[in-house]
Amino acid sequence: MNNQTSKEMFVQIQEKIEAKMEEFKISKLIGFYMSVLEHEWIIVVDADNSHDIERLCIEVGISSVSTIKIVPLNYYSDAIKKMKSM
């Protein structure tokens, strides 16, 4: 919050993500959370491919100031269906 360059980047990041979603095949921005003190972002998106999420993070500048960890998730109900069918 005290660094002007970082502050400008933080203010613009959601707009940048939303502007690039179609280009990187991100179908939906579900949630966007941030811990300012920890410099940690949790962005929940609906996408077919984790590589597209990675490319989006690089393009919009998140990766220049933060470590990126992409965690593929499934709906709990889908996982249970798969387990029961095995």
Side-chain angles (χ1 to χ4, degrees):
M1 295 305 235
N2 296 321
N3 179 298
Q4 187 61 31
T5 303
S6 293
K7 189 174 9 177
E8 288 172 10
M9 195 273 297
F10 284 114
V11 169
Q12 297 172 3
I13 202 71
Q14 185 167 351
E15 290 175 6
K16 286 182 177 182
I17 289 172
E18 290 171 351
K20 295 286 185 175
M21 285 175 51
E22 187 174 340
E23 179 181 342
F24 292 100
K25 302 176 193 136
I26 309 297
S27 57
K28 187 175 181 183
L29 176 60
I30 298 168
F32 194 157
Y33 310 92
M34 183 180 185
S35 169
V36 176
L37 296 176
E38 296 295 324
H39 294 266
E40 184 169 293
W41 315 36
I42 297 175
I43 305 169
V44 182
V45 297
D46 188 359
D48 290 334
N49 186 316
S50 61
H51 295 288
D52 293 331
I53 299 168
E54 177 186 48
R55 290 176 41 235
L56 172 72
C57 291
I58 292 167
E59 176 74 22
V60 302
I62 294 172
S63 62
S64 66
V65 295
S66 300
T67 300
I68 306 299
K69 179 179 178 182
I70 298 169
V71 180
L73 300 172
N74 293 299
Y75 286 107
Y76 175 79
S77 60
D78 291 343
I80 294 300
K81 284 179 194 174
K82 187 172 184 176
M83 286 181 213
K84 287 182 177 180
S85 71
M86 298 175 102

